[in-house]
Amino acid sequence: MTSTDFGRIALYLAILALIAVPLGRWTVAAASSSGRLGRVFAPVEAGILSLSGVRAGRESSWLGYALGLIAFNYAGFLLLYGVLRLQGVLPWNPAGIPPLDPAVAFNTAISFVTNTNWQAYSGEAQLSSFSQAFGLGVQNFLSAATGIAVMVALARGFARAETPTIGCLTTDVTRITLRLLLPLAVAVTILLVLQGVPQVMTGTLASMGLDGHAQAIPLGPVASQVAIKQLGTNGGGFYGVNSAHPLENPTAWSNLIEVVAILALPAAMPFAFGRLAGDPRQGRALFLAMLIPFAVFVGLTVWAETTGNPIHHALGLAGPNMEGKEVRFGAADSAIWAAATTAASNGSVNAMHDSFTPLGGMVAMIGMMLGEVIFGGVGSGLYGLVIFAVIAVFAAGLMVGRTPEYMGKKIEAREMTLAMLALIGLAVAMLVPAALSAVLPAGRAAVQDAGPHGLSEILYAYASAAGNNGSAFAGFGAAQTFHAIAVGIAMMIGRYLPVVVVLAIAGSLAAKKKIPATAGTLPTHGPLFIGLLIGTVAIIGGLTYFPALALGPVAEHLSMLLGRTF
């Protein structure tokens, strides 16, 4: 790594730290019933809520909130599946693209509803502009809004006392979409258009290639799709190669805008959570518990990719690992993007992760296997980290022989059972289908490479699916029927099991009394707890996933050092 590489990392982390606090305050204002944003958007929101049949001031229990969320997302799934299967007869399809295959349409609809955006299709070749904008684009907003809404509901669980309700899903989703996501997406769209990203209604652009052959370049509402794919930690690109495509990501400035947008809202969520829960100090602690390991992840990935492959070096090909990377971005910017997109449930790419070094690919895998709690998705990363925080304070309470407390609420057997259910369920959703894929002929048929890298392709795919990330090692045949269905099921478990668990925890906490802090209360906003929380994440993640990683990327790295290929 050079001083320039360190400078790039430092600049990125500094930008995130600078924008996190104001965006956190914006999120709080968006979720609140009063304030300037409330007055500006009140007429529009009142009309939407009236059409939805929601009465003003109506709130739900945690179970009602959870059932409403699942029903809302199921309706979105059916609508999107219908659009994808009927796109051949729907408007705004100048290229006459036929409907998606049923299994791929099923996979894609689940993917976008769950904020995963797993792309088992090639966007410009298999989707019409109508499907992109009114199918995928709508779900990009709504899946992000539901993730933030669950975070807001959890914060209410800590802030309230002896109450059976945690808010109204429809109201929360409406406010977050109109007040937060839509204005941010418009701003980022304008910035990307200024950098040359298309935002047009025409179908194709005729061009003559350098080889003298005519080309028909697909166009459409690219900038708006890219803006919300990044801000909402969705990740699904307009083009099949995502942000490695020169029309999605044409310049160094567009690259910086997009990679900052990936973590802009996830970085803001801890500060929003702290304020909504009534203790901003807790938000700062959670932010540092995300930022510190993320800085390590970025450093490791940049080091691995800029160091390069010793097998290539032995052949006289010195330099960084540039396989699968865009020359206009280079190894360092590609590695920063890879660390950011897998630390969040984003999944967009500006380089092909399948071509990363074994350690570079492993860092990306670990980010997803941890449930993407190191920033994570908008809302989902924060409430995933709070699950680990619940476990950390429980463990600390056991060590000192005291009933554990977190943010003024007792953490008892019910909360611990729910927290462990979320972690175990996530591990099962990743490891069980990965194991089946490694032994069943239908599963192995999708694997491109032999040896440990082939296992890494499988592990990455199901870590990405259950972690609601959506990126993949490019050699993996994700469109095959076996994996289209299995990945879809993993995406559902990875999204809705934690959501239901978190809402149940929120309901349980909201019903409890607030307990004032005493001399025996463990402070959960200081360096000791931040270290305990990071250690809890590392220990649980290591015990759960290291055996699988040892057979995949670790074995591949050791083989590479020995000069062995497969």
Side-chain angles (χ1 to χ4, degrees):
M1 288 174 62
T2 66
S3 58
T4 302
D5 297 331
F6 281 110
R8 291 173 186 271
I9 296 172
L11 174 64
Y12 184 54
L13 297 178
I15 292 173
L16 290 179
L18 284 173
I19 66 176
V21 174
L23 281 177
R25 291 175 177 170
W26 188 349
T27 304
V28 172
S32 302
S33 57
S34 57
R36 293 180 181 177
L37 284 178
R39 291 192 294 273
V40 171
F41 289 96
V44 179
E45 292 169 0
I48 293 174
L49 295 175
S50 176
L51 290 173
S52 303
V54 176
R55 298 191 305 272
R58 172 190 170 189
E59 292 198 347
S60 305
S61 66
W62 77 264
L63 183 59
Y65 204 101
L67 292 175
L69 187 148
I70 292 171
F72 179 65
N73 281 187
Y74 181 63
F77 163 77
L78 292 178
L79 179 62
L80 180 53
Y81 181 82
V83 168
L84 298 175
R85 292 291 295 140
L86 296 172
Q87 72 175 357
V89 297
L90 291 172
W92 205 6
N93 185 10
I97 298 174
L100 279 185
D101 171 82
V104 177
F106 165 81
N107 178 285
T108 303
I110 289 177
S111 161
F112 278 79
V113 167
T114 59
N115 198 243
T116 309
N117 289 30
W118 175 275
Q119 292 184 271
Y121 61 89
S122 183
E124 72 272 33
Q126 292 179 272
L127 293 183
S128 67
S129 293
F130 184 90
S131 295
Q132 293 264 24
F134 295 99
L136 308 186
V138 169
Q139 291 306 318
N140 279 343
F141 279 97
L142 296 181
S143 64
T146 52
I148 298 175
V150 174
M151 181 278 292
V152 172
L154 178 60
R156 292 191 187 113
F158 282 102
R160 297 180 176 184
E162 300 180 276
T163 178
T165 62
I166 57 171
C168 174
L169 173 71
T170 308
T171 302
D172 289 340
V173 169
T174 302
R175 288 174 177 169
I176 291 162
T177 302
L178 292 180
R179 301 180 185 183
L180 179 67
L181 295 175
L182 192 58
L184 280 174
V186 170
V188 173
T189 298
I190 293 171
L191 291 175
L192 292 176
V193 168
L194 292 174
Q195 292 303 310
V197 180
Q199 182 69 16
V200 297
M201 306 294 285
T202 54
T204 58
L205 174 67
S207 174
M208 185 65 68
L210 295 176
D211 59 358
H213 290 84
Q215 296 177 332
I217 302 173
L219 298 176
V222 182
S224 58
Q225 184 85 341
V226 172
I228 190 57
K229 88 170 185 185
Q230 304 295 57
L231 288 167
T233 62
N234 299 286
F238 188 92
Y239 295 101
V241 294
N242 211 275
S243 288
H245 197 288
L247 292 184
E248 275 203 28
N249 190 8
T251 69
W253 283 111
S254 69
N255 191 74
L256 180 61
I257 292 166
E258 291 185 34
V259 76
V260 168
I262 290 174
L263 291 183
L265 286 175
M269 291 300 107
F271 295 102
F273 175 80
R275 288 180 173 274
L276 289 167
D279 190 349
R281 299 174 303 170
Q282 306 295 336
R284 291 192 291 270
L286 292 172
F287 175 76
L288 289 173
M290 292 177 170
L291 184 67
I292 293 169
F294 176 67
V296 175
F297 276 29
V298 173
L300 285 173
T301 310
V302 173
W303 172 81
E305 297 309 307
T306 56
T307 299
N309 189 329
I311 298 177
H312 293 168
H313 297 168
L315 297 173
L317 303 173
N321 174 34
M322 284 300 296
E323 182 186 356
K325 297 180 176 65
E326 289 293 306
V327 176
R328 55 205 164 100
F329 303 135
D333 281 348
S334 299
I336 291 171
W337 186 299
T341 196
T342 50
S345 65
N346 184 275
S348 66
V349 297
N350 72 347
M352 298 300 104
H353 294 182
D354 189 49
S355 299
F356 274 42
T357 61
L359 290 186
M362 185 178 74
V363 172
M365 252 186 277
I366 292 173
M368 297 183 296
M369 286 174 169
L370 294 178
E372 293 173 316
V373 298
I374 302 172
F375 289 117
V378 282
S380 59
L382 187 283
Y383 62 68
L385 186 60
V386 171
I387 289 176
F388 278 101
V390 166
I391 296 171
V393 296
F394 190 84
L398 291 179
M399 287 188 284
V400 299
R402 180 181 171 86
T403 302
E405 302 168 15
Y406 187 48
M407 298 177 64
K409 296 295 180 78
K410 284 187 176 181
I411 303 301
E412 299 174 302
R414 174 178 171 80
E415 289 77 31
M416 272 301 297
T417 301
L418 290 168
M420 292 308 302
L421 176 62
L423 297 184
I424 293 170
L426 187 63
V428 167
M430 291 182 189
L431 297 177
V432 170
L436 292 174
S437 298
V439 299
L440 295 177
R444 294 199 305 272
V447 179
Q448 173 182 266
D449 296 290
H453 191 79
L455 178 60
S456 293
E457 290 180 9
I458 297 172
L459 288 173
Y460 193 106
Y462 285 96
S464 177
N468 298 137
N469 181 271
S471 63
F473 276 7
F476 188 77
Q480 296 187 17
T481 301
F482 175 88
H483 291 291
I485 295 173
V487 164
I489 293 171
M491 287 189 286
M492 286 192 289
I493 296 172
R495 178 68 166 183
Y496 295 113
L497 178 60
V499 161
V500 173
V501 163
V502 166
L503 291 174
I505 291 175
S508 176
L509 296 175
K512 293 184 177 185
K513 296 180 180 179
K514 275 275 191 181
I515 302 172
T518 66
T521 301
L522 171 68
T524 54
H525 56 270
L528 178 63
F529 182 73
I530 293 172
L532 177 64
L533 179 53
I534 294 173
T536 301
V537 173
I539 291 170
I540 291 177
L543 292 174
T544 306
Y545 300 109
F546 183 75
L549 293 171
L551 296 173
V554 174
E556 185 183 1
H557 176 72
L558 296 176
S559 299
M560 182 183 72
L561 295 179
L562 294 173
R564 182 180 178 185
T565 58
F566 295 87

